[in-house]
Amino acid sequence: MTLLLILLWAGLLLWTGLLLWAAGNLRRYPMVAASQDFALSSHPRISILIPARNEARILARTLPKVLEQDYDPYEVILVDDASTDGTGELAAKLQRLHPDKLRLLRVEKLPAGWVGKTHALHQGFQAATGDWVLATDADIVLHPKALQAGMWLAERQQAELVSIF
């Protein structure tokens, strides 16, 4: 019983220390808010890559938000990974509404040695024309200022890679 109590206290102390360490380090990471002004000195082209397999239901909500970015220039490349649920049809409908922003790629067959999502992303990277690439998932709802905030952060930190959460 004493050993169990010692282990429980040690675990509690470890988790408390980890939480305090994370909270202390969080202050070092730059934070952004939608209300702030993201004055950029340049506007490099961004390619947003979305691999999708049977995501029609969620894309009906998320893809229009991706296409509403308050940033220019950008392109959205949706890679339909052999979907059978209407993902391609939904994307084609949105492409007709946003022909200058949305490009569609369809993967029919997975080459030997590839896994679906990584292959879809690879296809998107091959087609991308942006100076920057944002790889995201079909179920992510982007704020209209997401690209502005990301580029502002990259410019401010002189970063070559930015991860936004």
Side-chain angles (χ1 to χ4, degrees):
M1 183 68 166
T2 308
L3 180 60
L4 179 62
L5 199 54
I6 291 171
L7 290 173
L8 286 173
W9 275 107
L12 179 65
L13 286 172
L14 178 66
W15 280 109
T16 302
L18 187 59
L19 182 64
L20 290 172
W21 176 83
N25 280 317
L26 202 60
R27 284 181 264 141
R28 294 188 329 180
Y29 294 103
M31 300 291 178
V32 297
S35 60
Q36 77 186 73
D37 178 30
F38 299 108
L40 297 169
S41 63
S42 68
H43 286 81
R45 183 172 175 79
I46 300 174
S47 296
I48 302 173
L49 310 182
I50 305 173
R53 180 175 175 83
N54 295 331
E55 302 276 8
R57 196 179 62 139
I58 194 73
L59 277 171
R61 195 179 87 210
T62 60
L63 190 52
K65 294 292 185 188
V66 174
L67 293 164
E68 294 172 2
Q69 289 300 299
D70 186 13
Y71 181 92
D72 217 18
Y74 75 95
E75 67 179 344
V76 179
I77 301 172
L78 185 121
V79 184
D80 179 5
D81 191 9
S83 295
T84 58
D85 71 339
T87 294
E89 292 81 3
L90 170 74
K93 179 181 171 186
L94 286 169
Q95 185 183 37
R96 286 189 292 277
L97 297 173
H98 304 276
D100 57 327
K101 292 286 182 206
L102 180 58
R103 293 176 35 207
L104 305 178
L105 300 177
R106 171 109 175 139
V107 174
E108 295 291 342
K109 185 177 170 191
L110 192 61
W114 282 92
V115 179
K117 190 172 193 173
T118 55
H119 180 258
L121 281 171
H122 177 72
Q123 294 299 306
F125 276 112
Q126 295 296 314
T129 62
D131 302 304
W132 283 77
V133 174
L134 168 63
T136 188
D137 285 327
D139 60 351
I140 301 298
V141 178
L142 291 180
H143 188 279
K145 291 188 176 183
L147 295 183
Q148 279 188 44
M151 292 314 303
W152 174 82
L153 187 58
E155 199 172 87
R156 179 175 180 231
Q157 299 292 318
Q158 297 179 349
E160 295 181 7
L161 171 72
V162 174
S163 182
I164 301 173
F165 63 95

